[in-house]
Amino acid sequence: MTYENVLALRVALETGLRIDDVLSLRADQIVRRTIYGIAEKTDKPYRKTISAELAKRMSALKPNKGGYIFAHRLDPTKHRTRQAVWSNMKKAAALMGVKLNAAPHSARKTYAVEMFKDKGLEQTQKELQHDRISTTMIYAFSDMLCSAEHKTQDVVDMDAFAEIIAEKVAEKLKKRLDL
């Protein structure tokens, strides 16, 4: 993968931002270790803190003529597209023999799983800026839902979702209790 695409994914992993919001970052939106912006999908303002190492790496990137940190490959006035990152990620996964269906949005889901484990469901919902807790639950439990027998996109209603979660929790308890 290109260095810039890896960096964009790392920003998504550390902040939970959608890849579109990461790629459209301008240099003036980053002040030391804080990223300020308005989410493209929801129009909600956000403020995210990143690690010192990531801030240092991002500050080393030179913005293009449009001021974007993650420059478009051909047009110096635009930002990189999410499709370009997705394509690069798929090629890198294939070269490494990774068979998982990973995509740039997987970084947001990974962030949600870790946030849920550390801070709980309400804080995860706040961080992801979801209006509905049910949406946050799909993200927060995506590590359990994305197993061979269950896929997140197969969850149609909350009853089915609750059943899948109950099964997964029971499996984990059995393993912990050596039953």
Side-chain angles (χ1 to χ4, degrees):
M1 286 188 63
T2 67
Y3 177 75
E4 290 82 2
N5 288 347
V6 169
L7 214 51
L9 289 170
R10 185 152 175 215
V11 172
L13 275 170
E14 281 196 25
T15 63
L17 290 173
R18 291 174 185 87
I19 197 68
D20 282 339
D21 291 327
V22 172
L23 296 174
S24 64
L25 285 173
R26 295 176 187 265
D28 62 358
Q29 289 178 263
I30 303 171
V31 180
R32 289 184 279 292
R33 293 182 45 213
T34 305
I35 300 174
Y36 299 91
I38 297 177
E40 191 174 304
K41 183 176 180 181
T42 63
D43 253 0
K44 295 177 182 176
Y46 63 81
R47 179 179 158 201
K48 301 287 186 173
T49 303
I50 56 175
S51 67
E53 178 63 25
L54 183 55
K56 179 181 171 185
R57 289 175 186 231
M58 288 183 65
S59 68
L61 295 177
K62 301 295 176 223
N64 66 6
K65 290 179 185 175
Y68 296 108
I69 295 170
F70 299 102
H72 190 278
R73 186 172 57 94
L74 302 173
D75 189 337
T77 63
K78 294 183 179 177
H79 64 76
R80 186 173 308 226
T81 66
R82 63 185 170 84
Q83 293 86 351
V85 177
W86 178 85
S87 176
N88 191 219
M89 190 174 182
K90 290 294 182 184
K91 287 176 186 171
L95 283 171
M96 295 181 66
V98 175
K99 303 220 185 292
L100 294 174
N101 186 23
H105 200 65
S106 301
R108 184 169 164 85
K109 290 179 181 177
T110 301
Y111 175 86
V113 168
E114 296 303 316
M115 175 62 66
F116 169 69
K117 288 176 182 175
D118 290 345
K119 306 282 182 170
L121 197 57
E122 287 181 11
Q123 184 63 34
T124 304
Q125 179 183 14
K126 181 180 173 186
E127 286 293 319
L128 295 179
Q129 298 185 325
H130 287 153
D131 291 328
R132 295 187 323 241
I133 198 78
S134 58
T135 304
T136 305
M137 288 172 71
I138 292 170
Y139 280 71
F141 297 120
S142 63
D143 60 333
M144 288 190 254
L145 291 171
C146 290
S147 65
E149 69 264 19
H150 301 295
K151 297 288 182 202
T152 303
Q153 58 267 30
D154 294 338
V155 178
V156 177
D157 60 34
M158 287 309 291
D159 289 336
F161 178 73
E163 187 68 33
I164 293 168
I165 294 300
E167 288 173 17
K168 294 295 183 181
V169 169
E171 287 173 22
K172 287 190 178 222
L173 284 172
K174 283 180 185 177
K175 285 180 184 175
R176 280 196 179 156
L177 299 173
D178 291 323
L179 296 177

